[in-house]
Amino acid sequence: MNSSSNIRQSLQRIYAIIIKELRQLSRDRPTFGMIVMIPLIQLLLFGFAINTNVRHLPVALVDQSQSELARLLSADLTATQVVNFVQVYTTPTLAADAITRGKVRAALIIPKDIAQRLGDGRPIAQWVIDGSDTMVGNALLALKNMPLTSLINRVEANSNIGASSFEMTLLYNPERRSAINIVPGLVGIILTMTMVLFTSAALVRERERGNLELLITTPIKPMELMVGKIVPYVFVGLIQLFIILGLGHLIFNVPINGRIDQLLLATLLFISASLTLGMLISTVAKTQLQAMQLTVFLLIPSILLSGFMFPYEGMPELAQWIAEALPATHFIRLIRGIVLRAANLSDLWPDLIWLAGFTILGLLVAAKRFKKRLD
């Protein structure tokens, strides 16, 4: 009897704790929201936004033949839905420059003697491909053996037509090594995770430790506090940049083709944008746990939608709009362009301007939201 009574009392105490935790959880709206939103967003991202079947890649056309066969070939390629011809250039040099600047993913160069090449069984055209993204490169390489039935029907002497239809040239990563694509993008993901996490808990930590009371008695202004909180972590971010790219170069032989000063400028802007995003979170979260939950909430789309794992062009239009709002999307374009394609910042200025604008606007909003008093 005594044993059963002890068990019953123990169960009652456990039940009381369970009720207490459930009530506390229901009052913690950010945590309760994360319970629902994190699996919901992951489901939507993986179900709709993530697509490994790359489609509608922006490519350029250099038509040196200006013939009906060339027009028919470009129409057949468009019909595959793998590529969209968004630019037309007069020379292969201009097309290659567009690839370097990130305007297009590849260029199709159609020679003057396309009809003769088709009759002789030689490659009828050349694809020049940005191989820095292996998934994009593989999607374009799959076009090598595309059937040429519609073209063959236009040429009488076609008995010697071979199996190969295109000559394929991969730029920046001819060996198709995934590390060359992953390592620069990893800089953006790691900086997003660490910079946002560090600063998202900054003001919350001051409040929890009681240090906010000391700040109340000082003449420091909200903007000064924001900047003072951000600057120390800039050096932390630069250290992480050198570690990732340095070891990536030494261990995985990832090339660093661009200028270091331009790489540093782009990274500084991205670090500033990420730290500003963290400060915005710190003005919303009431506890460090909430700050960490909101950071994870932002980190998931940054990994999945920024182009780090899956090509941007393969996403639905709505997912692309969300990706454009993420600092990581713009930085990954910048660092891959500078490190792998040796692009200049003048070629990538839209992403640079976006990061600068995000930083300035974020600082203003964070400073306005910060109230130098205890809530």
Side-chain angles (χ1 to χ4, degrees), residues 67-372:
S67 64
E68 183 182 357
L69 285 179
R71 291 188 290 272
L72 189 60
L73 176 61
S74 60
D76 287 348
L77 286 166
T78 302
T80 65
Q81 298 187 4
V82 176
V83 297
N84 282 341
F85 290 97
V86 297
Q87 297 288 343
V88 177
Y89 297 101
T90 56
T91 65
T93 302
L94 292 175
D97 182 60
I99 296 175
T100 300
R101 291 184 284 114
K103 301 299 181 183
V104 293
R105 291 289 197 159
L108 176 66
I109 302 172
I110 302 177
K112 295 180 179 180
D113 58 344
I114 179 176
Q116 182 179 353
R117 286 173 170 268
L118 183 62
D120 295 341
R122 291 180 292 163
I124 60 173
Q126 179 186 19
W127 276 109
V128 180
I129 302 170
D130 176 9
S132 59
D133 191 325
T134 52
M135 191 173 293
V136 170
N138 290 335
L140 290 169
L141 287 174
L143 297 173
K144 182 175 183 179
N145 296 316
M146 187 187 79
L148 301 175
T149 305
S150 58
L151 272 72
I152 293 173
N153 293 336
R154 299 296 181 95
V155 180
E156 296 181 357
N158 54 36
S159 58
N160 295 323
I161 292 179
S164 178
S165 57
F166 299 104
E167 179 182 342
M168 316 299 280
T169 302
L170 279 173
L171 302 179
Y172 315 119
N173 186 14
E175 298 175 354
R176 287 190 284 173
R177 292 191 294 118
S178 59
I180 290 181
N181 180 57
I182 291 296
V183 171
L186 192 62
V187 176
I189 297 303
I190 291 179
L191 288 179
T192 298
M193 179 172 58
T194 55
M195 296 296 99
V196 175
L197 182 60
F198 287 162
T199 51
S200 64
L203 291 180
V204 179
R205 184 169 58 248
E206 299 287 358
R207 183 183 294 111
E208 289 183 344
R209 293 179 178 178
N211 294 337
L212 204 58
E213 295 176 349
L214 298 177
L215 294 175
I216 292 175
T217 62
T218 67
I220 189 171
K221 298 178 181 179
M223 181 60 72
E224 295 170 347
L225 178 62
M226 297 295 110
V227 175
K229 287 288 185 183
I230 284 177
V231 170
Y233 296 110
V234 172
F235 299 101
V236 175
L238 291 177
I239 290 173
Q240 292 181 327
L241 169 70
F242 288 121
I243 289 175
I244 298 171
L245 287 185
L247 292 180
H249 180 69
L250 293 175
I251 298 175
F252 301 105
N253 197 27
V254 176
I256 302 178
N257 297 320
R259 291 170 50 182
I260 299 298
D261 59 336
Q262 295 193 356
L263 175 61
L264 287 176
L265 177 58
T267 305
L268 283 172
L269 278 177
F270 175 65
I271 290 174
S272 300
S274 298
L275 292 174
T276 301
L277 182 58
M279 294 304 297
L280 284 171
I281 293 176
S282 71
T283 64
V284 175
K286 298 184 181 303
T287 65
Q288 293 190 60
L289 177 60
Q290 290 180 4
M292 185 176 299
Q293 290 170 339
L294 289 172
T295 300
V296 173
F297 182 75
L298 288 172
L299 183 62
I300 293 173
S302 294
I303 294 175
L304 298 179
L305 300 182
S306 62
F308 170 65
M309 296 180 62
F310 306 98
Y312 175 87
E313 292 82 4
M315 302 176 190
E317 189 173 356
L318 178 60
Q320 291 181 359
W321 290 347
I322 298 174
E324 289 295 329
L326 300 172
T329 302
H330 300 273
F331 178 68
I332 287 178
R333 290 175 186 161
L334 286 168
I335 192 170
R336 283 177 174 167
I338 296 171
V339 171
L340 302 180
R341 303 194 304 270
N344 293 317
L345 288 181
S346 58
D347 301 327
L348 306 169
W349 65 267
D351 297 305
L352 206 67
I353 295 298
W354 192 96
L355 289 177
F358 182 90
T359 301
I360 295 172
L361 180 62
L363 277 174
L364 293 175
V365 174
K368 186 175 182 179
R369 288 187 56 87
F370 173 70
K371 298 177 181 179
K372 206 173 62 171

